Amino acid sequence: MNGADTAFVLISAALVMLMTPGLAFFYGGMVRVKSALNMLMMSFIALGISSVLYVLYGYSLAFSGDNAGLIGNLDLVGLKGIGAETLTGDDGIPVFAFVLFQMLFAVITPALISGALADRVKFSAWAVFVALWISLVYFPVAHWVWAEGGWLYELEVIDFAGGTAVHINAGVAALAAVLVVGKRIGFKKDPMRPHNLPLVVLGAALLWFGWFGFNAGSALAADGTAANMALNTQVGTGAAVLGWLVYERIRHGAFTTLGAASGAIAGLVAITPSGAHINALGAIVIGLVSGLVCSWAVSLKFKLGYDDSLDVVGVHLVGGLIGTLLVGFLATEGAGLTQFGKQALGAASVMAFTFVATWLLAKLIDLTMGFRATEDDELAGVDQAYHAETAYDYSQAGRSSGGHHTEAATTGEQKKVDA
């Protein structure tokens, strides 16, 4: 056992775990106040569902054996036969450490989809969707990309930490799901501005921090590859922030905090598949391109008429495509048309499979238990409808600085109680 690498992978896994609550804050601040808690819960339920299913059969389907390059087998159901001293071949780390690390990728990938469906889906239907989607879409695609025998792995498609398996996968799934669920009431008519921009920036910062574990940890060793990936994660993300803000200033006349936070995520997405195979200058190029293009891409939903609430398609699908394709030309070794063709084939195959499979799953849920919230619940707010809570307790607004009710505040609160 390599103690240093084991510690590095365990710490990286903890950083990746933090990304899902970070995503919850990022999305939670972007929605209207009546849906803020629901947005948090859509990420938190993924922590529960994906963690359990990954142990039961997810790890086995993704990484045990191979069937025609498409899926693993069930030899390791319930982590059967794996003990504390079982190591991952030449890596010298416990299999349990690798399972934990990969499990947290399976957690955050469906959580990414949730932003596209904000404000308007049943929480129970979302939970069923997560369970079915990771089982029938995520586990097979993870096998394609990262498992020995997986057809994209054998084709030598570059995806160091999840450009295809995580971001393109989640982005195109988000598009398929919103086409089934439909638009929010008032889409393109009512203002749907973020209710808490500081929360958005906090979420983006936690994601940026956790992404070092996501990206560098994928080296599975505390070595030069991990260091290069960590450096490029920082540099590429910084360049993407600048690219997004430049486009925003030219197009809309302002440098917004929402743009800075969104640009950071776009850069993190784009550097995920590519960062270990490029140098720092390549990371700057990928970051700038992702910031500029994703900033433009988020406006497409208004032109094309699909309601991707929090721009999952514009950031994760487009950003994932940019990183996956550009590494074909910018990789420090083997770059060229041949590698670019492999990258394009990998991206296209994941998009085609995931779109069809996700559309069918969403349609099945919609036809059986109903995916969409009722009109009354959507208008009133899904927080109250599904969680019996609100994000902010406005009843405390009438308290004086000394902690005592003023007479006017007390009277006002009593009137609310009487009503």
Side-chain angles (χ1 to χ4, degrees), residues 10 30 32 47 67 101 112 252 270 305 310 322 346 364 383:
L10 291 174
M30 289 174 68
R32 290 169 288 180
L47 276 164
N67 289 288
F101 184 69
L112 294 173
H252 303 292
L310 307 183
I322 289 169
L364 176 65
D383 283 2

Coordinates of all heavy atoms in Angstrom, one line a residue, residues 10 30 32 47 67 101 112 252 270 305 310 322 346 364 383:
L10 N -8.0 9.9 -0.5 CA -9.1 10.1 0.5 C -9.4 11.6 0.7 O -10.5 12.0 0.8 CB -8.6 9.5 1.8 CG -8.6 7.9 1.8 CD1 -8.0 7.4 3.1 CD2 -10.0 7.3 1.6
M30 N -29.5 31.0 -7.2 CA -29.9 31.4 -8.5 C -31.4 31.3 -8.8 O -31.9 32.0 -9.7 CB -29.2 30.6 -9.6 CG -27.7 30.9 -9.7 SD -26.8 29.7 -10.9 CE -27.5 30.2 -12.4
R32 N -35.6 31.6 -7.6 CA -36.4 32.5 -6.8 C -36.6 32.0 -5.4 O -36.4 30.8 -5.1 CB -37.8 32.7 -7.5 CG -37.7 33.5 -8.8 CD -39.0 33.4 -9.6 NE -39.2 32.1 -10.2 CZ -40.3 31.8 -10.9 NH1 -41.2 32.7 -11.1 NH2 -40.4 30.5 -11.4
L47 N -26.9 12.8 -2.8 CA -25.9 12.3 -1.9 C -26.4 11.0 -1.3 O -25.6 10.1 -1.1 CB -25.6 13.3 -0.8 CG -24.6 14.4 -1.1 CD1 -24.7 15.6 -0.1 CD2 -23.2 13.9 -1.1
N67 N -18.5 -6.2 -20.7 CA -19.3 -6.9 -21.6 C -19.4 -6.1 -22.9 O -20.1 -5.1 -22.9 CB -20.7 -7.1 -21.0 CG -20.7 -8.2 -19.9 OD1 -20.6 -9.4 -20.2 ND2 -20.9 -7.7 -18.7
F101 N -14.0 7.6 -4.0 CA -13.7 8.7 -4.9 C -14.7 8.6 -6.1 O -15.3 9.7 -6.4 CB -12.2 8.6 -5.4 CG -11.8 9.7 -6.2 CD1 -11.6 11.0 -5.7 CD2 -11.5 9.5 -7.6 CE1 -11.2 12.0 -6.6 CE2 -11.1 10.5 -8.4 CZ -10.9 11.8 -7.9
L112 N -26.1 17.8 -11.0 CA -25.9 18.9 -12.0 C -27.1 19.1 -12.8 O -27.5 20.2 -13.2 CB -24.7 18.5 -12.9 CG -23.3 18.5 -12.3 CD1 -22.3 18.0 -13.3 CD2 -22.9 19.9 -11.8
H252 N -23.5 43.1 -22.8 CA -24.6 43.7 -21.9 C -24.2 44.9 -21.2 O -25.0 45.5 -20.5 CB -25.0 42.6 -21.0 CG -25.5 41.3 -21.6 ND1 -26.6 41.2 -22.3 CD2 -24.9 40.1 -21.7 CE1 -26.8 40.0 -22.8 NE2 -25.8 39.3 -22.4
A270 N -14.6 22.9 -18.5 CA -13.8 22.7 -19.7 C -12.4 22.1 -19.4 O -11.9 21.3 -20.2 CB -13.6 24.0 -20.5
G305 N -36.1 28.3 -27.3 CA -37.4 28.0 -26.7 C -37.4 26.8 -25.7 O -38.5 26.4 -25.3
L310 N -31.3 27.0 -15.0 CA -30.0 27.6 -14.5 C -28.8 27.3 -15.4 O -27.7 27.2 -15.0 CB -29.8 27.0 -13.1 CG -30.9 27.2 -12.1 CD1 -30.5 26.6 -10.7 CD2 -31.3 28.6 -12.0
I322 N -16.3 21.8 -25.3 CA -15.1 22.6 -25.6 C -13.8 22.0 -25.1 O -12.8 21.8 -25.8 CB -15.2 24.1 -25.0 CG1 -16.3 24.8 -25.8 CG2 -13.9 24.8 -25.0 CD1 -16.7 26.1 -25.1
G346 N -16.2 10.3 -29.2 CA -16.6 10.1 -27.8 C -17.7 11.0 -27.3 O -18.7 10.6 -26.7
L364 N -41.2 8.2 -19.1 CA -41.8 7.1 -18.3 C -42.2 7.6 -17.0 O -43.4 7.3 -16.5 CB -40.7 6.0 -18.2 CG -41.2 4.8 -17.3 CD1 -42.3 4.1 -17.9 CD2 -40.0 3.9 -17.0
D383 N -41.1 24.8 -2.4 CA -40.6 24.7 -1.0 C -41.7 24.3 -0.1 O -41.6 23.3 0.7 CB -39.9 26.0 -0.5 CG -38.5 26.2 -1.1 OD1 -38.1 25.4 -1.9 OD2 -37.9 27.2 -0.8

